[in-house]
Amino acid sequence: MIEQYGMALMGGMLVGLSALILLLFNGRIAGISGIVAGAFAAKQGWRWLFLIGMVVGSGVMLYLGQYPIPELVDLHQWPSIAAAGLLVGLGTRLANGCTSGHGICGVGRLSRRSIVATTVFMVSAMVTVYIKRHLM
Amino acid sequence: MMLAMSLLAGLLFGAGMVISGMIDPARVLGFLDIMGQWDASLAWVMIGALVVFMPSYGLWLSQRKQSLLGEPMPMVPTPHIDKRLIGGAILFGVGWGWLGICPGPAISLIATGQSAILLFIFAMLLGMWLVGKWIRHQ
């Protein structure tokens, strides 16, 4: 249990360092929903390199660290997967950010919009889990 | 140079997703399940990220007009709380709580090669595209 807390803290610090580097050198916000949403416009090579880096970074770490491969829901539950993905896409685009953009970069810059958004999506996600696990 | 720093930042972010446990939807759902067997450990991901990012921003980056590579620093948005922000955050929360996957872990999960995550990302892109279309329409 203590080890899990330490790993969460260390992993979180890496994420914070990533956000710091992207802002300090490139003047960009490390918000994943924003980086994904803007990737299809012209001249956005930096977004693609960031995303490729994420996949390579997690792949190498999963392999080197001998972490168990996280299990996803089975593909035959496709309506559930598609609905969750769609809601995440709609919601993050409407709110202009997700867990990283609002939760870390926005809160870290004391943006009132981000503090409000982060509180709302955390409560909304907790209520969703409560309904799904304990009421359905 | 900008591209190299983007790649480096992405590598660190992806590694952070794995080490922290954020990449595992089961752990995320355990963190969100405050009325059940609550696993509070993932709260430390945000704490760790803020411990690194917040003071360096507040004491250093916020004073800069340009990034080290000469890009303009993004402004903190004016504190305008509207229905779009609240409604979007509610919808995002429902989608996140449904499977325990938000955009950062979604991209990192591509590395596991499971086809379900590609469907999730495709649906997410569709949602983003629909909102973009709606905004341009207004």
Side-chain angles (χ1 to χ4, degrees):
Chain A
M1 200 64 182
I2 294 295
E3 197 197 326
Q4 283 194 340
Y5 279 72
M7 296 299 270
L9 184 69
M10 229 163 60
M13 289 172 86
L14 280 184
V15 172
L17 183 63
S18 163
L20 180 60
I21 288 175
L22 200 65
L23 188 58
L24 175 64
F25 285 90
N26 294 3
R28 306 284 181 190
I29 297 294
I32 308 307
S33 63
I35 290 178
V36 170
F40 292 96
K43 288 198 163 182
Q44 301 293 336
W46 74 272
R47 295 175 191 266
W48 288 99
L49 279 165
F50 187 92
L51 296 171
I52 290 166
M54 280 179 73
V55 177
V56 173
S58 61
V60 167
M61 199 46 75
L62 281 169
Y63 179 73
L64 286 182
Q66 309 270 301
Y67 289 90
I69 302 294
E71 265 184 60
L72 296 179
V73 286
D74 199 85
L75 195 58
H76 75 246
Q77 290 189 43
W78 62 268
S80 203
I81 302 168
L86 188 69
L87 283 170
V88 168
L90 290 171
T92 54
R93 201 77 195 101
L94 283 169
N96 277 321
C98 60
T99 340
S100 47
H102 278 312
I104 295 165
C105 298
V107 171
R109 301 198 300 159
L110 296 175
S111 151
R112 284 249 298 278
R113 272 175 62 85
S114 291
I115 293 168
V116 170
T118 304
T119 311
V120 172
F121 68 64
M122 293 286 279
V123 170
S124 163
M126 284 168 175
V127 169
T128 303
V129 170
Y130 178 73
I131 292 172
K132 200 162 169 246
R133 283 202 169 168
H134 303 287
L135 299 182
M136 280 170 77
Chain B
M1 192 62 188
M2 256 191 83
L3 295 178
M5 295 322 281
S6 293
L7 182 65
L8 173 66
L11 287 165
L12 291 170
F13 201 108
M17 290 287 109
V18 174
I19 294 174
S20 65
M22 269 304 282
I23 195 173
D24 187 352
R27 288 275 306 279
V28 174
L29 291 175
F31 165 68
L32 293 171
D33 190 11
I34 49 170
M35 306 297 267
Q37 290 265 18
W38 190 38
D39 168 12
S41 59
L42 287 188
W44 288 84
V45 183
M46 197 172 168
I47 295 170
L50 287 176
V51 160
V52 172
F53 183 79
M54 208 168 184
S56 25
Y57 178 80
L59 299 173
W60 181 25
L61 272 70
S62 59
Q63 320 292 321
R64 298 186 60 94
K65 294 210 162 51
Q66 278 195 333
S67 78
L68 289 181
L69 297 176
E71 295 292 314
M73 288 301 239
M75 305 288 281
V76 175
T78 47
H80 179 58
I81 314 294
D82 54 9
K83 278 189 218 151
R84 198 182 129 184
L85 182 77
I86 303 291
I90 291 173
L91 289 181
F92 167 46
V94 175
W96 184 29
W98 200 257
L99 292 182
I101 305 171
C102 59
I107 300 298
S108 306
L109 279 164
I110 294 175
T112 68
Q114 298 173 83
S115 39
I117 198 60
L118 297 181
L119 172 62
F120 182 94
I121 291 172
F122 179 77
M124 182 174 86
L125 287 170
L126 179 67
M128 290 172 166
W129 179 77
L130 285 171
V131 174
K133 216 170 144 69
W134 175 71
I135 293 169
R136 280 189 297 274
H137 222 79
Q138 284 202 323

